[in-house]
Amino acid sequence: MAPLGSLIRLSLLSSEELPYHALLHDRPNNADDLNRPTIDEDGAELYGHPTLEAFLKEALDEATQFMDDLPSTFREGSLKSSPPPIADVRRLSRVIPRAQLAEIPPKQSSAIRPGFPDEALKAGEIWFARRSRHLNLKQDGTADFHEFNYGIRIDHSEHERDYSPNVCGAVKIVEWDLLDESNMTLGQYSEPQMTIFEMYHRFPAPLSPRIFPELVVTAKTGSSSFIVVQIPVNVQSVERPIQEDSRSPNGGSKGLERKKSILGAYASIELCRLVTFQGVEMVEWTMATTSDAKGWLPMWAQKLGVPGAISKDVTYFMNWIAGRRRMRDP
């Protein structure tokens, strides 16, 4: 098992820990490109920000290693059916205690992660995961790899808003310019993308809605696999308009205002890959997450709800992709 990484944690990344972007940082006096940090002849970062390429690779490496270690680090739980998928969903869990988080080196590479504040370590991190395998077919109850790639990697945040009834808004705050990302490679990774979205979630009354500001990193990890990483980030200094709830029955008149919402945090990793299971080609979809909805909702109550909620996402996705298939192939 590899040591824990420092980026994909429940404590929020600050803007100073991210690659330079004009919407997040004051413009350096001699920056030629607003979305890319200027680097010296040795490739070292300037202005105190990691280079975009180094940050992307570290985040993707950390996520890939975390998922590689998942079978040996997570405890297997129940196997649940989640109609309409023709597949069962395995639930898993892991607790990363405060002491283990405190041992994470403050600097892994050019992506600098300072020591975690005490408040982020009090309860450690409680991770929940799910794993499901689906026939690699375009038919009801399942989806092929192309459909998974379209629905989960491409436009990840907007598609999550579309298929999950609990997500009522996905607002893009920042997007890094990767030039021709379709031809860009970082070691084993291709077509990398990095954005920041605010995800608007509705909670049952009397709980207030939540906003989750998330750094979203996606990439292909091979010809038949991809990964999606979400990391909580602090972007309160970036101005944005009031956002409407696109699912409001009154055409947005009941829109979610930021000032009426509570800022929450979650980190998550999703890995999809083609596998052969019991002699059959299948798409394996694994997702792991740790979260804190904040507010007065106690962590014990959150722990009760998360496993079921992430399992239901399999059903929501299958229903959504089937609806798209009926209209047109994605």
Side-chain angles (χ1 to χ4, degrees), residues 84-86 134-155 159-164 226 272 283 285 312-330:
I86 311 171
H134 308 267
L135 294 172
N136 184 35
L137 298 171
K138 284 186 176 182
Q139 66 181 40
D140 288 348
T142 190
D144 69 5
F145 180 78
H146 171 74
E147 292 174 312
F148 274 98
N149 181 61
Y150 168 79
I152 297 173
R153 183 182 69 87
I154 298 173
D155 295 332
H159 286 165
E160 185 178 16
R161 173 202 60 205
D162 293 342
Y163 71 71
S164 174
F226 64 84
C272 279
V283 180
W285 182 14
K312 289 178 181 177
D313 282 343
V314 179
T315 296
Y316 297 148
F317 177 79
M318 289 300 173
N319 287 335
W320 175 75
I321 206 70
R324 287 196 57 87
R325 192 186 298 136
R326 286 190 289 270
M327 292 186 295
R328 67 180 185 278
D329 285 343

Side-chain angles (χ1 to χ4, degrees), residues 22-295:
L23 292 177
L24 296 175
H25 311 107
D26 293 333
R27 178 173 180 169
N29 292 332
N30 59 342
D32 296 323
D33 187 329
L34 293 183
N35 293 342
R36 290 173 172 267
T38 302
I39 59 176
D40 64 18
E41 293 179 355
D42 297 324
E45 66 273 17
L46 299 179
Y47 319 123
H49 301 290
T51 64
L52 181 56
E53 290 81 358
F55 185 93
L56 278 167
K57 189 170 188 310
E58 181 162 354
L60 292 166
D61 282 347
E62 185 176 317
T64 300
Q65 187 63 60
F66 189 89
M67 299 304 267
D68 286 346
D69 290 341
L70 187 146
S72 61
T73 56
F74 277 65
R75 180 174 60 87
E76 284 202 350
S78 58
L79 190 65
K80 298 289 186 180
S81 61
S82 187
I86 311 171
D88 292 328
V89 179
R90 173 71 70 183
R91 297 178 181 179
L92 307 98
S93 62
R94 177 185 184 183
V95 176
I96 303 177
R98 171 179 177 152
Q100 192 174 356
L101 292 173
E103 294 173 356
I104 297 174
K107 181 176 172 63
Q108 295 280 355
S109 70
S110 62
I112 300 170
R113 189 74 171 110
F116 298 102
D118 288 343
E119 58 266 28
L121 291 172
K122 286 181 180 178
E125 289 179 352
I126 303 168
W127 284 78
F128 294 100
R130 59 167 165 78
R131 182 180 62 237
S132 54
R133 298 185 182 98
H134 308 267
L135 294 172
N136 184 35
L137 298 171
K138 284 186 176 182
Q139 66 181 40
D140 288 348
T142 190
D144 69 5
F145 180 78
H146 171 74
E147 292 174 312
F148 274 98
N149 181 61
Y150 168 79
I152 297 173
R153 183 182 69 87
I154 298 173
D155 295 332
H156 172 84
S157 300
E158 292 100 328
H159 286 165
E160 185 178 16
R161 173 202 60 205
D162 293 342
Y163 71 71
S164 174
N166 299 317
V167 180
C168 49
V171 182
K172 186 185 294 184
I173 305 300
V174 175
E175 182 172 14
W176 276 264
D177 182 7
L178 291 168
L179 301 179
D180 186 6
E181 66 267 15
S182 63
N183 294 319
M184 183 179 182
T185 59
L186 296 168
Q188 73 183 87
Y189 312 109
S190 60
E191 299 185 29
Q193 292 187 324
M194 189 163 84
T195 55
I196 293 176
F197 271 83
E198 281 189 338
M199 303 300 293
Y200 287 67
H201 286 238
R202 59 163 60 92
F203 278 62
L207 298 176
S208 300
R210 262 52 172 186
I211 299 176
F212 296 91
E214 297 291 324
L215 179 74
V216 185
V217 178
T218 65
K220 291 182 177 179
T221 56
S223 60
S224 56
S225 60
F226 64 84
I227 198 162
V228 177
V229 187
Q230 296 186 89
I231 306 171
V233 63
N234 185 347
V235 289
Q236 294 190 60
S237 61
V238 181
E239 293 187 5
R240 75 279 285 167
I242 292 174
Q243 300 300 325
E244 297 290 344
D245 178 350
S246 60
R247 292 198 178 92
S248 169
N250 297 320
S253 63
K254 296 182 180 180
L256 290 178
E257 295 184 12
R258 300 188 79 255
K259 65 182 180 180
K260 295 180 180 179
S261 302
I262 293 173
L263 287 175
Y266 67 81
S268 69
I269 307 170
E270 296 185 61
L271 176 66
C272 279
R273 57 182 180 173
L274 275 179
V275 299
T276 300
F277 183 70
Q278 297 180 346
V280 179
E281 186 177 65
M282 309 190 86
V283 180
E284 184 179 77
W285 182 14
T286 306
M287 183 267 197
T289 185
T290 181
S291 62
D292 186 353
K294 307 290 186 179

